[in-house]
């Protein structure tokens, strides 16, 4: 794991933006795995800036989102489809047919999940997967005890996640209990995993993910087995890491060719 600690979420997201931009410059047909939640919003603003100000071209890029709520149509205000359009795709030139987000209302759920996996393989696999982390350590919607070998499938949300995500729903409207999510096995096949965590509320989960035991109780700890997992943190999210000084030392001593 590479632990990148920046002073603020803005600075961390700028590093992330450079990593994404470098990938697309090097491979214009890059396949990106994308995430929702409040954490990647600043990264998405950076990507839009790269596109609008530096001419970064997304016209050959393909994207796959991690997850979606079961029961919400793509145009529901709280659907991840709507979230992605409003916060990223409306501002970029990714062709609509290259954008993949699980369908929250599939005719046949199991078949839809299997097809989603096939589409990723047909696209050449994920070059880079953007990730956030839930307060209980979930990746995508892979709640504690999710199998490390899991693939895209239906999951039932933990009550904690339902509470955490209630803020995205109008008063009186319930967070769906079921979701479709890429599995941990799916995520682990991405060539690079780029996880962002900002704020004190993520400090415990981050410390367990990076320095704790690998356990299905902390789904994100599976990234300890990933050959290229980069974890971008602000000071607050890094505040419970025992070896924070070491990670900063490593980052400030990166050879020039390895810098972002
Ligand atoms: C949701 C998403 C996750 C995300 C998590 C954290 O559960 N499915 O992909 O990482 O929320 O969200 P936030 O970034 O808002 O803290």
């Amino acid at each position: 794991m590479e632990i990148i600690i920046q002073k603020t979420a803005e600075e961390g997201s700028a590093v992330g933006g450079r990593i994404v931009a470098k990938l697309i410059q090097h491979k214009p047909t890059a396949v990106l795995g994308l995430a929702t939640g409040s954490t990647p919003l600043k990264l998405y603003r950076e990507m839009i800036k790269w596109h609008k100000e530096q001419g970064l071209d997304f016209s050959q890029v393909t994207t796959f989102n991690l997850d979606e709520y079961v029961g919400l149509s793509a145009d529901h205000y709280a659907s991840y489809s709507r979230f992605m359009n409003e916060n990223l795709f409306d501002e970029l030139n990714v062709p609509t047919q290259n954008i993949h987000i699980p369908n929250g209302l599939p005719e046949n759920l199991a078949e839809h999940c299997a097809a989603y996996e096939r589409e990723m393989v047909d696209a050449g696999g994920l070059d880079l997967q953007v990730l956030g982390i839930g307060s209980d350590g979930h990746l995508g919607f892979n709640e504690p005890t999710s199998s490390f070998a899991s693939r895209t499938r239906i999951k039932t949300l933990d009550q904690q996640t339902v509470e955490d995500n209630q803020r995205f729903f109008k008063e009186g409207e319930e967070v769906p209990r079921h979701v479709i999510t890429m599995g941990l096995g799916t995520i682990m096949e991405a060539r690079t995993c780029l996880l962002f965590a900002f704020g004190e509320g993520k400090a415990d989960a981050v410390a367990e993910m990076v320095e704790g035991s690998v356990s299905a109780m902390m789904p994100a700890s599976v990234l300890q087995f990933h050959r290229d997992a980069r974890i971008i943190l602000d000071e607050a999210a890094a505040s419970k890491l025992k070896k924070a000084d070491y990670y900063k030392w490593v980052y400030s001593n990166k050879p020039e060719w390895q810098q972002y």
Side-chain angles (χ1 to χ4, degrees), residues 35-40 66-67 80 131-134 138-141 161 165 167-168 202:
T36 53
S38 34
T39 307
L66 280 171
D67 45 17
Y80 283 169
L131 295 164
I133 182 170
H138 69 243
L139 293 184
F141 271 132
T161 307
N165 289 2
R167 69 188 196 279
F168 294 109
K202 298 290 169 76

Side-chain angles (χ1 to χ4, degrees), residues 204-225:
D204 284 317
V206 165
E208 274 190 64
M209 162 181 71
V210 176
E211 296 177 342
S213 320
V214 174
S215 160
M217 282 300 283
M218 173 47 58
S221 66
V222 71
L223 293 176
Q224 291 183 29
F225 283 125

Side-chain angles (χ1 to χ4, degrees), residues 125-140:
L126 302 173
D127 289 301
L128 180 143
Q129 175 65 57
V130 173
L131 295 164
I133 182 170
S135 58
D136 62 359
H138 69 243
L139 293 184

Side-chain angles (χ1 to χ4, degrees), residues 20 83 110 205 221 253:
V20 172
F83 177 99
S221 66
N253 284 290

